[in-house]
Amino acid sequence: LEQKSPEAFAIVVLDNASIHRSALFLRKELEWRAQRLYVIFLPTYSPELNLIEILWRKIKYEWLPVTAYQSFSSLTSHVLQVLSGYGEKYRINFV
């Protein structure tokens, strides 16, 4: 918001997490509108539109071996390995 020109407007797309629907957030939303920043919410139950959900689905069903689930430390290690290799070894092609 600080970097946005006063004449320009901005749109922020969010999921329907409870924190995004809290009273405090809604009060801030009115303030943001006055500064030409608009919040749009994704439709409920639409994980295909939420990029982080797409990433987690790839990690869970394609990139993690079954052995990753043997223990919490193993799972943590494997997830960190995938995330550190994202963009090079692990990629999502939206085409």
Side-chain angles (χ1 to χ4, degrees), residues 3 7 24 30 45 49 54-55 70 79 81 84 86 92:
Q3 297 175 0
E7 304 86 43
L24 177 61
L30 292 174
Y45 304 112
L49 299 176
I54 295 168
L55 174 62
Q70 290 177 338
V79 169
Q81 181 182 8
S84 67
Y86 184 74
I92 299 175

Side-chain angles (χ1 to χ4, degrees), residues 47-92:
E48 70 281 357
L49 299 176
N50 191 340
L51 296 179
I52 194 65
E53 295 292 342
I54 295 168
L55 174 62
W56 286 123
R57 186 177 331 112
K58 286 289 239 185
I59 291 172
K60 183 176 179 181
Y61 295 110
E62 295 181 30
W63 298 337
L64 286 182
V66 174
T67 57
Y69 297 95
Q70 290 177 338
S71 68
F72 181 75
S73 64
S74 175
L75 181 60
T76 303
S77 173
H78 280 85
V79 169
L80 289 174
Q81 181 182 8
V82 169
L83 292 176
S84 67
Y86 184 74
E88 294 175 12
K89 183 176 180 184
Y90 302 98
R91 294 175 186 244
I92 299 175

Side-chain angles (χ1 to χ4, degrees), residues 6-22:
E7 304 86 43
F9 70 92
I11 297 173
V12 177
V13 179
L14 296 171
D15 62 17
N16 280 289
S18 59
I19 193 168
H20 299 147
R21 297 294 189 167
S22 69

